[in-house]
Amino acid sequence: TIMSSDLLVDLHDDLGGDDSPSAALDQLKLVQSKQWPPDDPCSLSKSGSDIKSLSGTSHLPWDDPFYDIARHQIVEVAGDDNFGRKVIVFNACRMPPQHQLDHHKLLMYLKQTLDKYVESDYTLIYFHHGLTSENKPSLSWLRDAYREFDRKYKKNIKALYIVHPTMFIRTILILFKPIISFKFGRKINYINYLSELEEVVKCDQLVIPNRVREYDDKLRLSQKPSAIPGPISPPHRSPLPSQQFGVPLSTLRHRSANSEGIPQVMFDTIGFLQQHSLQTEGIFRRSANVSLVKDVKQKYNSGEEVIFSQEDVHLAAVILKTFLRELPEPLLTFQLYNDIINFHNVDSRSRAETIRTMLMSLPEENYAALRFLVQFLAQVSAESEVNKMNNANLAVVFGPNLLWGQDAAMTLSAIGPINNFIRILLDQHQEVFTQ
């Protein structure tokens, strides 16, 4: 087994033995194959077949300048994590061989994707398995990528999770230590098994490549059971009589104390936010302390009264998003999923009427809750000069929390159309909800 210190010496020798970190970084070269710990015993042909099967599922039209990058689905968006932060996923196993991928264009595409979310707190998950000697980028590209992501991108990234790290990736981070700021370095976390990710994000919400899941299974089988952490999620329990989170809206309708049958969590958080958040810059873009979120959820589920203080604006915002995300079925329902994904085909002159017709098929409790939420978001948007949250920004925040596919995974191919639908709904809410 190669120790990280030995591997670092090998890398240092390959770079000419210069003790200057900046000089070494400027001379970074591809590491010899023998020094690249193989992540996958299979040949690249398997990776190639994976990529081929994905090529027809790009979320971009074929004439888009980034189509040739997007079609590989290397970069995905996965809704919110357990802390109320957007999740961006990078899949190494979906990277084609070096000669088939423009790495500079990949970097630009990653920046373009992040541009939609960097104003909000976000999490980056990197699935390292599948990076091989044939598809790995150069170390100088990694250096340039880190430098390319200026403060705009680094400020609001709250965590970078490296899943299934190898000795090589750990050593690379040691080598890059001279240019990685201490503050950013503290955000890097290693995840050895997928079960550990449950503490961060619901894994069934992620589009985890089959190759990564199979590799995780192999890792588990090769280890002693005592060495493998079990699932973080608590065992399933019957819902409490006063349960509010993870309960169907049809059930909550009868538990609500308000006359309209709006779920108590929505009624409380929106009422509080209407009073205290309309002029809060970046409302819905910040995350909240996870222990406070757990405490508030527990109080609601136990039937206790929850009273937010004026300092709890971002906590109340996260609780609202969390409530929507944890519904067994999304507020906009699985039935409307295909219609919403294909809504871009509707003529702009008949959009309001089409949305009104679509929403009339919702159950009464869904329609009432949606109308209550949208009317509030219209109030937020009306103050967008101050709070910086216009309809487009609100759609990015709420889209993944209002609709997802039945497999619970949110991909870039769906998130764009969903966000676009929510933006149009907010733009035309007065016509849509006219009696």
Side-chain angles (χ1 to χ4, degrees):
T1 303
I2 300 176
M3 299 302 293
S4 60
S5 58
D6 297 332
L7 186 51
L8 186 55
V9 170
D10 290 341
L11 283 167
H12 187 254
D13 290 342
D14 281 345
L15 298 174
D18 193 326
D19 288 327
S20 165
S22 59
L25 287 168
D26 288 337
Q27 299 176 46
L28 284 175
K29 298 291 189 291
L30 289 176
V31 182
Q32 297 173 11
S33 297
K34 67 181 178 65
Q35 294 170 320
W36 189 280
D39 287 330
D40 191 349
C42 303
S43 67
L44 193 68
S45 61
K46 183 177 179 183
S47 174
S49 64
D50 285 352
I51 292 165
K52 186 175 181 181
S53 67
L54 291 166
S55 61
T57 58
S58 170
H59 66 288
L60 295 178
W62 68 269
D63 56 349
D64 187 280
F66 284 110
Y67 173 80
D68 56 329
I69 302 295
R71 69 191 182 92
H72 297 297
Q73 295 184 310
I74 300 166
V75 182
E76 298 285 1
V77 177
D80 289 5
D81 65 13
N82 297 341
F83 311 101
R85 309 179 295 217
K86 291 290 169 223
V87 177
I88 313 294
V89 178
F90 190 100
N91 300 293
C93 71
R94 288 182 175 169
M95 292 178 69
Q98 295 157 17
H99 66 279
Q100 294 179 16
L101 183 67
D102 182 334
H103 287 92
H104 176 72
K105 205 169 183 181
L106 171 62
L107 181 56
M108 294 303 101
Y109 175 64
L110 181 58
K111 287 182 69 173
Q112 183 196 63
T113 302
L114 291 177
D115 278 340
K116 302 168 187 173
Y117 304 101
V118 292
E119 295 302 320
S120 305
D121 290 350
Y122 71 100
T123 293
L124 189 60
I125 298 177
Y126 167 60
F127 289 110
H128 178 62
H129 172 68
L131 197 71
T132 69
S133 58
E134 284 111 345
N135 72 351
K136 67 182 185 291
S138 68
L139 298 182
S140 56
W141 180 86
L142 293 176
R143 174 202 62 196
D144 293 342
Y146 179 79
R147 288 175 172 168
E148 186 76 30
F149 288 99
D150 55 24
R151 187 175 182 274
K152 179 179 86 168
Y153 298 94
K154 293 171 186 168
K155 185 180 76 166
N156 288 332
I157 181 172
K158 297 305 175 184
L160 164 59
Y161 294 96
I162 299 175
V163 183
H164 298 141
T166 60
M167 185 68 72
F168 185 84
I169 197 70
R170 294 174 190 268
T171 306
I172 289 300
L173 284 174
I174 295 172
L175 187 66
F176 272 53
K177 198 170 182 180
I179 64 167
I180 296 178
S181 69
F182 175 72
K183 191 172 183 181
F184 185 80
R186 288 190 303 173
K187 299 176 181 180
I188 300 173
N189 304 272
Y190 291 126
I191 300 289
N192 295 310
Y193 301 97
L194 292 177
S195 59
E196 296 174 19
L197 263 185
E198 287 290 336
E199 191 171 355
V200 180
V201 62
K202 292 177 176 61
C203 282
D204 61 2
Q205 176 183 315
L206 300 177
V207 188
I208 301 176
N210 288 334
R211 292 182 64 198
V212 173
R213 292 187 182 275
E214 290 166 4
Y215 180 69
D216 192 73
D217 291 340
K218 288 178 184 177
L219 282 180
R220 288 175 162 277
L221 289 172
S222 67
Q223 298 294 323
K224 294 179 180 178
S226 59
I228 304 174
I232 304 294
S233 301
H236 178 73
R237 297 190 182 101
S238 299
L240 297 168
S242 54
Q243 187 93 14
Q244 293 290 318
F245 287 81
V247 178
L249 286 175
S250 56
T251 302
L252 293 177
R253 180 183 184 182
H254 304 293
R255 295 180 184 173
S256 174
N258 58 80
S259 58
E260 295 182 53
I262 305 298
Q264 196 63 46
V265 177
M266 292 185 68
F267 191 80
D268 291 350
T269 54
I270 288 176
F272 171 79
L273 292 169
Q274 281 175 322
Q275 293 184 46
H276 301 286
S277 77
L278 296 182
Q279 296 196 331
T280 300
E281 184 173 340
I283 185 61
F284 295 117
R285 282 178 164 163
R286 301 280 78 88
S287 51
N289 181 288
V290 67
S291 61
L292 289 177
V293 173
K294 287 180 179 177
D295 288 346
V296 171
K297 288 175 62 179
Q298 181 59 41
K299 284 184 177 180
Y300 270 119
N301 288 337
S302 300
E304 296 179 45
E305 184 181 11
V306 175
I307 300 176
F308 295 101
S309 68
Q310 290 192 23
E311 297 78 35
D312 290 337
V313 166
H314 295 298
L315 174 61
V318 168
I319 290 294
L320 174 60
K321 291 190 296 179
T322 302
F323 171 80
L324 294 169
R325 190 172 68 253
E326 293 190 5
L327 288 171
E329 183 176 8
L331 187 60
L332 285 168
T333 71
F334 295 131
Q335 182 181 340
L336 288 182
Y337 183 84
N338 288 335
D339 289 339
I340 289 173
I341 293 298
N342 295 309
F343 187 76
H344 61 277
N345 295 320
V346 175
D347 187 281
S348 58
R349 292 168 295 184
S350 58
R351 282 175 174 173
E353 181 61 35
T354 302
I355 294 177
R356 188 186 304 121
T357 302
M358 290 166 62
L359 299 188
M360 290 307 292
S361 70
L362 290 173
E364 284 184 21
E365 54 271 16
N366 292 60
Y367 184 88
L370 179 66
R371 181 176 181 177
F372 187 70
L373 174 66
V374 167
Q375 288 174 338
F376 161 61
L377 295 182
Q379 292 178 302
V380 175
S381 181
E383 302 284 350
S384 61
E385 286 192 16
V386 179
N387 61 37
K388 311 301 182 188
M389 296 299 288
N390 57 28
N391 286 343
N393 294 333
L394 289 169
V396 168
V397 169
F398 278 90
N401 296 311
L402 292 176
L403 186 65
W404 55 86
Q406 278 193 282
D407 61 359
M410 180 65 66
T411 70
L412 275 172
S413 59
I415 203 167
I418 290 171
N419 291 352
N420 185 56
F421 175 84
I422 300 301
R423 179 188 58 78
I424 295 170
L425 171 61
L426 294 174
D427 286 345
Q428 304 194 20
H429 73 279
Q430 291 179 317
E431 295 93 327
V432 168
F433 291 107
T434 300
Q435 294 291 349

